[in-house]
């Protein structure tokens, strides 16, 4: 039987490594988006500031990722982002809550770096995922991410 805490921590670590690759502008966003989308389960749902966004499949998640990172690179702080710390708490033997604290280093701006924490719901998947992980993200709560971004880039809101 898979240990839920170990599986969630492994996913957090691998996902964080992919997010860090987003700071390398020579890596094509569509390829990175496909890799990132491999962590999200079908019907993944994000909650942020009262808005609900249900994404049906990996393709829609990848498209959303490319759109978000393109905007951040073209009109925002850039995409030099790292997961600087995390915390995992088991909810059951099949699911865990994962707090990921991100830090962004803005590019081509005088804005200072900032951090925020998102909460992800991790769920084990029988047989695991194609990316080698035992499970993936079922949902996320991104209030802090959007609050911090809108505070610094109100025109993007």
């Amino acid at each position: 039987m898979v240990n839920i805490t170990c599986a969630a921590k492994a996913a957090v670590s691998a996902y964080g490594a992919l997010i860090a690759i987003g700071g390398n502008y020579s890596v094509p966003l569509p390829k990175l988006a496909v890799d990132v989308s491999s962590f999200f389960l079908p019907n993944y749902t994000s909650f942020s500031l009262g808005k609900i966004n249900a994404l049906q499949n990996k393709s829609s998640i990848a498209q959303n990722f490319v759109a978000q990172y393109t905007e951040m690179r073209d009109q925002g702080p850039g995409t030099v982002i790292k997961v600087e710390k995390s915390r995992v708490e088991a909810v059951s033997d099949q699911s865990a809550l994962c707090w990921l604290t991100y830090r962004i280093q803005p590019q081509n701006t005088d804005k200072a770096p900032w951090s925020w924490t998102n909460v992800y719901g991790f769920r084990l998947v029988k047989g695991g995922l194609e990316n080698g992980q035992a499970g993936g993200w079922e949902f996320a709560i991104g209030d802090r991410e959007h609050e911090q971004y809108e505070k610094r880039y109100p025109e993007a809101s």
Side-chain angles (χ1 to χ4, degrees):
M1 185 166 165
V2 175
N3 178 295
I4 186 64
T5 302
C6 292
K9 285 181 178 180
V12 166
S13 178
Y15 183 75
L18 280 176
I19 293 301
I21 291 171
N24 180 347
Y25 286 41
S26 66
V27 174
L29 278 180
K31 188 211 179 311
L32 180 59
V34 168
D35 292 343
V36 167
S37 72
S38 73
F39 283 80
F40 294 81
L41 302 182
N43 297 312
Y44 161 82
T45 304
S46 67
F47 302 90
S48 182
L49 303 174
K51 297 176 185 162
I52 300 170
N53 188 16
L55 299 169
Q56 302 290 318
N57 54 46
K58 291 177 189 170
S59 175
S60 59
I61 291 164
Q63 289 171 359
N64 190 60
F65 180 87
V66 168
Q68 180 181 12
Y69 266 49
T70 298
E71 178 185 312
M72 290 175 72
R73 287 179 175 183
D74 294 347
Q75 302 164 12
T79 55
V80 178
I81 304 169
K82 295 192 169 138
V83 175
E84 64 179 2
K85 66 181 180 177
S86 63
R87 178 170 61 114
V88 172
E89 289 189 23
V91 175
S92 71
D93 62 351
Q94 299 292 308
S95 65
L97 292 175
C98 306
W99 287 260
L100 279 65
T101 300
Y102 297 85
R103 183 164 184 80
I104 187 164
Q105 178 65 52
Q107 306 296 296
N108 303 319
T109 180
D110 59 354
K111 291 182 177 17
W114 73 88
S115 299
W116 70 89
T117 301
N118 288 349
V119 180
Y120 292 81
F122 178 84
R123 167 113 13 230
L124 286 178
V125 173
K126 187 174 182 167
L129 300 178
E130 292 175 8
N131 64 9
Q133 299 300 315
W137 310 135
E138 190 169 48
F139 68 86
I141 302 169
D143 286 5
R144 297 285 182 189
E145 175 181 1
H146 294 277
E147 287 171 344
Q148 294 295 320
Y149 192 83
E150 290 174 4
K151 184 163 88 173
R152 290 164 177 82
Y153 294 91
E155 67 282 0
S157 304

